[in-house]
Amino acid sequence: TLIVLYGVHDGVDLAPRAAAKLAELGYTRVYLLEGELDGWRAAGGEVFQDVNVPSKSFGEYVEAHRHTPSLSAQEVKALLDARRDVVIVDSRRYEEFQTMSIPTATSVPGAELVLRIRELAPDPTTQVIVNCAGRTRSIIGTQSLVNAGIPNPVAALRNGTIGWLLAD
Protein backbone atom coordinates (compact mmCIF):
# COMPACT_ATOMS: atom_id res chain seq x y z
CA THR A 1 0.00 0.00 0.00
CA LEU A 2 1.28 3.41 -0.96
CA ILE A 3 1.32 5.74 2.05
CA VAL A 4 2.00 9.48 1.79
CA LEU A 5 2.46 11.41 5.02
CA TYR A 6 2.58 15.01 6.10
CA GLY A 7 1.89 16.75 9.36
CA VAL A 8 3.24 19.49 11.54
CA HIS A 9 1.83 19.81 15.04
CA ASP A 10 2.93 22.61 17.38
CA GLY A 11 5.83 23.38 15.06
CA VAL A 12 7.11 19.79 15.02
CA ASP A 13 7.11 17.81 11.77
CA LEU A 14 5.72 14.44 12.86
CA ALA A 15 5.72 12.85 9.40
CA PRO A 16 9.35 11.57 9.47
CA ARG A 17 8.71 9.90 12.83
CA ALA A 18 5.54 8.28 11.49
CA ALA A 19 7.39 7.14 8.36
CA ALA A 20 10.10 5.51 10.46
CA LYS A 21 7.50 3.70 12.56
CA LEU A 22 5.69 2.44 9.47
CA ALA A 23 9.01 1.23 8.04
CA GLU A 24 9.64 -0.67 11.30
CA LEU A 25 6.25 -2.32 10.83
CA GLY A 26 7.28 -3.50 7.36
CA TYR A 27 5.69 -0.91 5.09
CA THR A 28 7.96 -0.27 2.10
CA ARG A 29 6.11 2.37 0.07
CA VAL A 30 6.07 5.24 2.58
CA TYR A 31 6.71 8.77 1.37
CA LEU A 32 6.66 12.29 2.77
CA LEU A 33 4.50 14.84 0.95
CA GLU A 34 6.90 17.27 -0.67
CA GLY A 35 6.08 20.84 0.30
CA GLU A 36 3.54 19.69 2.90
CA LEU A 37 -0.03 20.94 2.50
CA ASP A 38 1.05 24.23 0.89
CA GLY A 39 2.87 22.25 -1.80
CA TRP A 40 -0.23 20.11 -2.35
CA ARG A 41 -2.39 23.24 -2.78
CA ALA A 42 0.16 24.86 -5.11
CA ALA A 43 0.07 21.75 -7.29
CA GLY A 44 -3.73 22.07 -7.58
CA GLY A 45 -4.61 19.41 -5.00
CA GLU A 46 -8.04 19.57 -3.39
CA VAL A 47 -8.18 20.29 0.35
CA PHE A 48 -11.10 19.42 2.58
CA GLN A 49 -11.53 21.54 5.69
CA ASP A 50 -13.98 20.60 8.44
CA VAL A 51 -14.25 18.30 11.42
CA ASN A 52 -13.81 14.58 10.81
CA VAL A 53 -12.49 15.35 7.32
CA PRO A 54 -10.79 11.99 6.67
CA SER A 55 -13.92 10.00 7.47
CA LYS A 56 -16.19 12.40 5.55
CA SER A 57 -13.91 12.26 2.53
CA PHE A 58 -13.90 8.48 2.73
CA GLY A 59 -17.72 8.40 2.86
CA GLU A 60 -17.97 10.62 -0.21
CA TYR A 61 -15.43 8.42 -2.01
CA VAL A 62 -17.37 5.25 -1.15
CA GLU A 63 -20.67 6.74 -2.29
CA ALA A 64 -19.21 7.97 -5.58
CA HIS A 65 -17.37 4.76 -6.42
CA ARG A 66 -19.83 2.16 -5.09
CA HIS A 67 -23.02 4.05 -6.02
CA THR A 68 -24.40 3.57 -2.51
CA PRO A 69 -28.21 3.69 -2.69
CA SER A 70 -29.98 6.50 -0.85
CA LEU A 71 -33.46 7.90 -0.31
CA SER A 72 -34.49 11.50 0.39
CA ALA A 73 -36.26 12.50 3.59
CA GLN A 74 -39.48 12.90 1.59
CA GLU A 75 -39.19 9.36 0.19
CA VAL A 76 -38.59 7.89 3.65
CA LYS A 77 -41.50 9.86 5.12
CA ALA A 78 -43.78 8.56 2.35
CA LEU A 79 -42.76 4.98 3.20
CA LEU A 80 -43.49 5.58 6.88
CA ASP A 81 -46.80 7.33 6.16
CA ALA A 82 -47.86 4.42 3.94
CA ARG A 83 -46.93 2.03 6.78
CA ARG A 84 -44.62 0.10 4.49
CA ASP A 85 -42.39 -2.64 5.88
CA VAL A 86 -39.40 -0.46 6.80
CA VAL A 87 -36.69 -0.73 9.42
CA ILE A 88 -34.70 2.41 10.16
CA VAL A 89 -31.36 1.97 11.89
CA ASP A 90 -29.46 4.95 13.25
CA SER A 91 -25.75 4.17 12.99
CA ARG A 92 -24.58 6.70 15.58
CA ARG A 93 -23.57 5.97 19.17
CA TYR A 94 -26.53 5.71 21.54
CA GLU A 95 -25.70 9.05 23.20
CA GLU A 96 -25.91 10.81 19.83
CA PHE A 97 -29.08 8.92 18.92
CA GLN A 98 -30.69 10.18 22.14
CA THR A 99 -30.16 13.83 21.18
CA MET A 100 -32.12 13.64 17.92
CA SER A 101 -33.43 10.88 15.72
CA ILE A 102 -36.26 10.16 13.31
CA PRO A 103 -39.52 8.28 14.02
CA THR A 104 -39.27 4.49 14.40
CA ALA A 105 -35.45 4.48 14.26
CA THR A 106 -33.46 2.02 16.34
CA SER A 107 -29.97 2.81 17.61
CA VAL A 108 -27.51 0.38 16.04
CA PRO A 109 -23.98 1.82 16.11
CA GLY A 110 -22.17 1.24 12.84
CA ALA A 111 -19.93 -1.58 14.02
CA GLU A 112 -23.05 -3.55 15.04
CA LEU A 113 -25.09 -3.09 11.85
CA VAL A 114 -24.10 -6.26 10.03
CA LEU A 115 -24.29 -8.26 13.27
CA ARG A 116 -27.80 -7.07 14.27
CA ILE A 117 -29.65 -6.42 11.02
CA ARG A 118 -31.09 -9.94 10.71
CA GLU A 119 -32.83 -9.66 14.11
CA LEU A 120 -34.28 -6.26 13.17
CA ALA A 121 -35.26 -7.15 9.61
CA PRO A 122 -35.71 -10.94 9.41
CA ASP A 123 -37.93 -10.64 6.30
CA PRO A 124 -35.66 -10.20 3.26
CA THR A 125 -38.26 -7.91 1.63
CA THR A 126 -38.14 -5.37 4.48
CA GLN A 127 -36.66 -2.05 3.34
CA VAL A 128 -33.68 -1.13 5.53
CA ILE A 129 -32.78 2.54 5.84
CA VAL A 130 -29.57 3.64 7.56
CA ASN A 131 -29.27 7.13 8.99
CA CYS A 132 -26.90 9.22 11.06
CA ALA A 133 -26.70 12.92 11.90
CA GLY A 134 -25.35 13.98 8.50
CA ARG A 135 -24.49 11.48 5.83
CA THR A 136 -21.12 9.82 6.29
CA ARG A 137 -22.11 7.04 8.70
CA SER A 138 -25.33 6.53 6.72
CA ILE A 139 -23.27 5.91 3.59
CA ILE A 140 -20.71 3.65 5.28
CA GLY A 141 -23.41 1.71 7.16
CA THR A 142 -25.49 1.21 4.03
CA GLN A 143 -22.51 0.13 1.97
CA SER A 144 -21.42 -2.26 4.75
CA LEU A 145 -24.82 -3.96 4.62
CA VAL A 146 -24.71 -4.11 0.81
CA ASN A 147 -21.18 -5.55 0.91
CA ALA A 148 -22.24 -8.10 3.53
CA GLY A 149 -24.79 -9.36 1.02
CA ILE A 150 -27.95 -8.97 3.05
CA PRO A 151 -30.93 -9.72 0.78
CA ASN A 152 -32.97 -6.70 1.88
CA PRO A 153 -33.23 -3.52 -0.12
CA VAL A 154 -30.94 -1.07 1.71
CA ALA A 155 -30.60 2.70 1.38
CA ALA A 156 -29.00 5.57 3.26
CA LEU A 157 -31.18 8.45 4.40
CA ARG A 158 -29.76 11.19 2.20
CA ASN A 159 -28.29 13.93 4.42
CA GLY A 160 -29.27 12.02 7.57
CA THR A 161 -31.21 13.36 10.51
CA ILE A 162 -30.23 16.93 9.66
CA GLY A 163 -31.74 16.47 6.18
CA TRP A 164 -34.87 15.01 7.82
CA LEU A 165 -35.14 18.03 10.12
CA LEU A 166 -34.59 20.52 7.30
CA ALA A 167 -37.26 18.79 5.19
CA ASP A 168 -39.71 19.37 8.05
Side-chain angles (χ1 to χ4, degrees):
T1 301
L2 172 67
I3 300 173
V4 179
L5 303 167
Y6 82 93
V8 175
H9 181 68
D10 290 334
V12 178
D13 186 357
L14 299 175
R17 184 171 152 205
K21 186 63 173 174
L22 288 166
E24 285 175 31
L25 295 170
Y27 289 89
T28 58
R29 298 179 63 206
V30 178
Y31 300 90
L32 301 178
L33 180 62
E34 190 174 314
E36 295 280 329
L37 194 56
D38 289 337
W40 175 260
R41 281 189 188 109
E46 187 174 3
V47 177
F48 297 92
Q49 197 165 358
D50 199 351
V51 296
N52 303 317
V53 172
S55 63
K56 287 181 181 183
S57 298
F58 179 65
E60 297 301 316
Y61 178 87
V62 167
E63 182 182 48
H65 287 81
R66 299 304 299 256
H67 309 289
T68 306
S70 66
L71 295 171
S72 69
Q74 294 83 354
E75 290 170 309
V76 173
K77 177 129 177 32
L79 291 171
L80 292 174
D81 288 348
R83 298 180 188 260
R84 298 285 300 273
D85 186 14
V86 174
V87 169
I88 300 175
V89 288
D90 190 312
S91 62
R92 298 173 294 157
R93 293 184 334 263
Y94 185 71
E95 296 78 26
E96 290 178 88
F97 170 79
Q98 288 294 99
T99 64
M100 169 178 64
S101 192
I102 64 174
T104 77
T106 301
S107 175
V108 184
E112 298 177 21
L113 279 171
V114 174
L115 174 68
R116 295 188 50 209
I117 198 61
R118 294 284 14 111
E119 74 185 56
L120 296 169
D123 182 340
T125 63
T126 300
Q127 170 75 56
V128 174
I129 299 168
V130 181
N131 81 283
C132 66
R135 55 187 273 116
T136 305
R137 290 175 282 182
S138 300
I139 294 165
I140 298 303
T142 298
Q143 194 61 52
S144 295
L145 293 173
V146 168
N147 290 358
I150 73 162
N152 303 66
V154 183
L157 172 59
R158 203 171 303 134
N159 300 318
T161 308
I162 298 299
W164 178 269
L165 182 67
L166 293 173
D168 250 355

